[in-house]
């Protein structure tokens, strides 16, 4: 049995995962806190929807900040747990699917919401693919 250290391609994938996970974490925390602080004013194209929707938006902003903290927790583990990345990515993809459902039921939202949906739909498969990239070493049996 020979032990091989991760190859260049695996290291590149691991760096990509780490970079994307950090970006996800910091972006989600910042966006979530922005929603908590500004309420409906933080949503491009949204008019004042009254105190009930404002309260709901600020609550969901706090939840989104917590989601970002979960990404930051995951990226600080060594190795980054693939199960955590997959779970967090599944939640992200579910959000994108919710946007698509809203598009189908309610119609076209502000262009920024469409851009976010596109980003979510592109990043989700990439994050699923990178989920197990942060591996310290690979054990390969050499049967020769």
């Amino acid at each position: 049995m020979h032990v091989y250290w991760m190859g260049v391609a695996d290291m590149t994938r691991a760096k990509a995962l780490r970079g994307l996970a950090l970006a996800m974490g910091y972006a989600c925390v910042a966006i979530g806190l922005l929603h908590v602080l500004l309420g409906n004013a933080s949503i491009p194209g949204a008019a004042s929807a009254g105190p009930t929707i404002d309260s709901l938006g600020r609550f969901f902003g706090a939840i989104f900040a917590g989601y970002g903290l979960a990404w930051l927790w995951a990226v600080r583990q060594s190795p980054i747990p693939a199960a955590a990345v997959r779970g967090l990515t599944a939640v992200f993809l579910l959000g994108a699917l919710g946007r698509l459902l809203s598009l189908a039921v309610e119609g076209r939202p502000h262009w920024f919401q469409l851009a976010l949906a596109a980003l979510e739909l592109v990043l989700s498969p990439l994050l699923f693919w990178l989920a197990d990239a942060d591996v310290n070493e690979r054990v390969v049996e050499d049967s020769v």
Side-chain angles (χ1 to χ4, degrees), residues 2-42:
H2 292 80
V3 176
Y4 296 95
W5 293 99
M6 71 167 81
V8 174
D10 293 317
M11 288 173 59
T12 302
R13 284 181 66 225
K15 286 181 181 179
L17 172 62
R18 189 163 299 281
L20 280 173
L22 278 170
M24 287 287 292
Y26 286 124
C28 293
V29 168
I31 293 166
L33 292 177
L34 185 71
H35 281 264
V36 170
L37 295 173
L38 300 179
N40 287 341
S42 64

Side-chain angles (χ1 to χ4, degrees), residues 3-141:
V3 176
Y4 296 95
W5 293 99
M6 71 167 81
V8 174
D10 293 317
M11 288 173 59
T12 302
R13 284 181 66 225
K15 286 181 181 179
L17 172 62
R18 189 163 299 281
L20 280 173
L22 278 170
M24 287 287 292
Y26 286 124
C28 293
V29 168
I31 293 166
L33 292 177
L34 185 71
H35 281 264
V36 170
L37 295 173
L38 300 179
N40 287 341
S42 64
I43 304 169
S48 178
T52 301
I53 298 302
D54 184 74
S55 174
L56 182 67
R58 290 175 195 264
F59 172 80
F60 286 141
I63 298 297
F64 198 61
Y67 174 73
L69 291 174
W71 273 107
L72 293 175
W73 171 86
V75 78
R76 285 179 170 72
Q77 306 307 303
S78 184
I80 298 172
V85 173
R86 287 185 188 105
L88 290 166
T89 302
V91 171
F92 193 59
L93 180 58
L94 183 60
L97 297 176
R99 289 186 196 273
L100 293 178
L101 179 60
S102 178
L103 179 64
V105 172
E106 295 294 328
R108 188 178 180 92
H110 188 273
W111 68 266
F112 189 69
Q113 303 303 318
L114 294 173
L116 289 175
L119 181 67
E120 293 154 359
L121 290 169
V122 168
L123 283 181
S124 293
L126 178 61
L127 286 164
F128 279 127
W129 178 67
L130 292 172
D132 62 355
D134 194 29
V135 180
N136 290 333
E137 63 185 47
R138 194 182 324 167
V139 178
V140 178
E141 290 188 17

